[in-house]
Amino acid sequence: MKLWDKGISIDKKIEQFTVGNDREIDIHIAKYDVIASKAHAKMLESIGILTSEELTKLLGGLDVLANQIEAGTFVIDDQFEDVHSKIEFELTKSLGDVGKKIHTARSRNDQVLVACHLYYKENLKLIQKKTKTLFDTLLGLAETHKNKVLPGYTHLQVAMPSSFGLWFSAYAELMIDDVYFLNAALKSVDQNPLGSAAGYGSSFPIDRELTTKEMGFATMKYNVVAAQMGRGKNERIIAAAFGGLCGTLSRFAMDVCLYMSQNFGFVSFPDELTTGSSIMPHKKNPDVFELIRGKCNKIQALQTEMILITNNLPSGYHRDFQLLKENMIAAFEELKDILDIFNFSIQQIIVKDIDVHSDLYKYLFTVDNINTLVVEGQSFREAYQKIGGQVQDGTYVPDTSKKHTHVGSIHNLCLDKIRDKFPD
């Protein structure tokens, strides 16, 4: 039941400790192990290790397993150490000795590596797609609410006039930077490590170009030691990219929570999207956005975990790498859910009308007053001192007539330019 089994029994406590949660985690990469095994089988046939008849049998057996995985009926039972041993067992059970040949010229090390690469690659693309969906939603909201004034704050003090259009499109454009990082992570994992075996290659004349093409990788990790050392490095790169995107989402969620509070009262949501209190019947709590904030902050901590697990490890394989999978895969699954629920919820935001003539926002336009005086011929310093004096003695009257027309300002959002910037 174990790929490394030499017929010697191992203490049950040691086995449980070393296997950990691999059975549960490996369900997520089962599909990709089958994809890699099919490519590997085709390569073995091309170099004469398998006959064409054996290849046909193996591909058929792997298709059966792929269908089970797709249907959700594939189970990694307790007697199996991981998905790789389970798949080889099933092939051997159904095909006999032919199934035992699938492990030729590869190690569990490069099996795990290539399955993770394929999982990361497909799911990074899915996260990019979901990010683009949220990006489009935010630009749509920016267009809809571009003329609605929103007080701008610095130090949580009333500062200058902003707008909901500026607020929505700000987070949209920030996500473009996050996608740049996701693209970098995708480029890192789009390299085939299969054929590196345990980290030092194989004496079989394997064709790594063939498996690279079969699995749709852009290139391969040529050096077999570099391929093995990519484990951990890939996770650190992905975690950094996730941290960037989650930082943006967490900050946005915090804004929503703040703006929903009665002290601000800028936005609201339908009752169906909020929760109540067990003792306070008036409460409409932004639990969804609070949980998004918390979950995103948790994912931002992932990079530190990946660094600490892999820091200062020498070259070659180490069992420490097994610990990367669980929280890495959990972060992928969590982030996909976060992007879905954020997009679903933010589409239903209720933007309120804000009375900028209220005393709360009396000083929102002081800079515009200063600029009016500058246009009339005063120096900025003189105008600043004059308006400052009016604020101090209570004679200040806001000038709400100004238009901010330069690129990227309230009245010139450049939404088309921002849309065009999003990476293909």
Side-chain angles (χ1 to χ4, degrees):
M1 303 299 181
K2 303 173 185 66
L3 297 183
W4 49 268
D5 191 356
K6 299 183 289 293
I8 303 170
S9 62
I10 185 172
D11 187 284
K12 291 297 181 185
K13 288 184 179 179
I14 297 298
E15 179 180 350
Q16 179 56 46
F17 184 78
T18 54
V19 171
N21 296 325
D22 262 15
R23 298 181 190 94
E24 294 83 0
I25 301 162
D26 280 4
I27 286 294
H28 293 286
I29 62 170
K31 165 186 172 181
Y32 306 97
D33 191 74
V34 169
I35 291 170
S37 293
K38 290 173 78 171
H40 186 68
K42 291 177 183 178
M43 185 277 295
L44 291 177
E45 190 269 343
S46 76
I47 63 171
I49 299 295
L50 295 175
T51 66
S52 58
E53 183 182 355
E54 288 173 328
L55 173 62
T56 299
K57 288 181 179 180
L58 279 171
L59 293 179
L62 288 165
D63 281 338
V64 169
L65 295 175
N67 290 334
Q68 291 176 5
I69 293 165
E70 180 69 25
T73 59
F74 180 83
V75 178
I76 305 173
D77 310 288
D78 287 349
Q79 67 263 40
F80 298 103
E81 189 173 22
D82 53 30
V83 67
H84 317 292
S85 53
K86 165 72 172 179
I87 286 175
E88 185 170 323
F89 173 83
E90 292 296 334
L91 290 174
T92 302
K93 185 173 75 172
S94 62
L95 303 176
D97 286 344
V98 175
K100 298 177 182 179
K101 294 185 177 184
I102 193 62
H103 200 61
T104 307
R106 66 177 179 175
S107 163
R108 185 169 65 167
N109 291 353
D110 64 342
Q111 269 191 272
V112 175
L113 256 176
V114 71
C116 286
H117 272 248
L118 288 167
Y119 170 87
Y120 294 156
K121 180 180 172 182
E122 183 169 304
N123 282 277
L124 278 167
K125 288 181 178 179
L126 187 54
I127 285 170
Q128 287 176 326
K129 183 178 179 181
K130 291 177 183 294
T131 302
K132 179 60 162 59
T133 298
L134 179 56
F135 170 85
D136 288 338
T137 294
L138 294 182
L139 287 189
L141 288 168
E143 178 64 36
T144 299
H145 302 290
K146 63 184 178 183
N147 295 321
K148 285 207 169 186
V149 177
L150 174 69
Y153 291 81
T154 62
H155 310 278
L156 280 179
Q157 307 291 307
V158 169
M160 291 178 64
S162 180
S163 70
F164 281 99
L166 204 61
W167 181 56
F168 286 123
S169 59
Y171 280 106
E173 190 166 7
L174 280 178
M175 288 197 298
I176 293 173
D177 299 333
D178 300 325
V179 173
Y180 292 153
F181 275 91
L182 291 173
N183 280 340
L186 179 59
K187 192 164 186 176
S188 175
V189 301
D190 199 7
Q191 304 177 82
N192 177 24
L194 187 60
S196 59
Y200 299 96
S202 170
S203 58
F204 289 105
I206 58 175
D207 185 347
R208 297 188 64 209
E209 295 282 0
L210 188 154
T211 56
T212 298
K213 184 177 179 181
E214 279 290 328
M215 290 184 285
F217 283 108
T219 185
M220 74 172 76
K221 205 77 167 182
Y222 288 95
N223 184 297
V224 291
V225 176
Q228 191 58 241
M229 289 172 70
R231 194 166 181 190
K233 189 175 182 68
N234 288 324
E235 285 76 7
R236 289 164 74 151
I237 293 168
I238 294 167
F242 281 8
L245 178 56
C246 284
T248 301
L249 297 175
S250 177
R251 193 172 187 180
F252 193 4
M254 179 63 212
D255 273 5
V256 172
C257 293
L258 198 66
Y259 291 172
M260 272 189 72
S261 72
Q262 290 91 336
N263 299 80
F264 286 80
F266 298 159
V267 301
S268 186
F269 286 87
D271 290 346
E272 295 79 9
L273 269 67
T274 62
T275 59
S277 163
S278 61
I279 63 171
M280 294 173 284
H282 66 281
K283 295 296 288 296
K284 285 182 62 173
N285 298 324
D287 284 17
V288 167
F289 292 97
E290 290 174 342
L291 287 171
I292 287 171
R293 183 178 61 200
K295 288 171 182 284
C296 283
N297 289 342
K298 183 179 176 183
I299 292 173
Q300 287 181 81
L302 184 66
Q303 185 182 10
T304 301
E305 180 183 330
M306 298 297 105
I307 289 170
L308 291 177
I309 290 173
T310 60
N311 228 24
N312 301 327
L313 290 179
S315 60
Y317 174 77
H318 310 279
R319 195 61 180 264
D320 311 53
F321 292 141
Q322 178 181 334
L323 304 177
L324 299 170
K325 275 195 301 182
E326 183 169 5
N327 287 343
M328 193 76 243
I329 289 175
F332 268 95
E333 300 304 316
E334 191 84 87
L335 185 50
K336 289 186 290 185
D337 287 343
I338 288 168
L339 287 164
D340 284 341
I341 199 66
F342 209 133
N343 186 64
F344 172 79
S345 300
I346 204 69
Q347 289 181 72
Q348 301 180 62
I349 193 169
I350 300 166
V351 172
K352 296 186 178 180
D353 293 320
I354 299 167
D355 181 9
V356 294
H357 300 292
S358 164
D359 284 346
L360 286 172
Y361 311 118
K362 184 176 182 179
Y363 300 121
L364 198 60
F365 300 93
T366 57
V367 176
D368 286 344
N369 282 78
I370 292 169
N371 292 350
T372 296
L373 295 178
V374 170
V375 170
E376 292 173 354
Q378 293 188 33
S379 69
F380 177 83
R381 187 53 53 208
E382 289 173 328
Y384 178 90
Q385 290 170 348
K386 181 174 181 179
I387 298 301
Q390 292 175 2
V391 169
Q392 292 299 318
D393 63 25
T395 60
Y396 168 74
V397 177
D399 177 2
T400 61
S401 64
K402 287 289 184 194
K403 295 291 184 183
H404 297 200
T405 58
H406 67 75
V407 165
S409 62
I410 307 173
H411 302 111
N412 187 6
L413 295 176
C414 299
L415 299 183
D416 289 341
K417 299 289 186 183
I418 294 171
R419 184 173 283 105
D420 290 344
K421 271 179 66 178
F422 197 94
D424 295 328

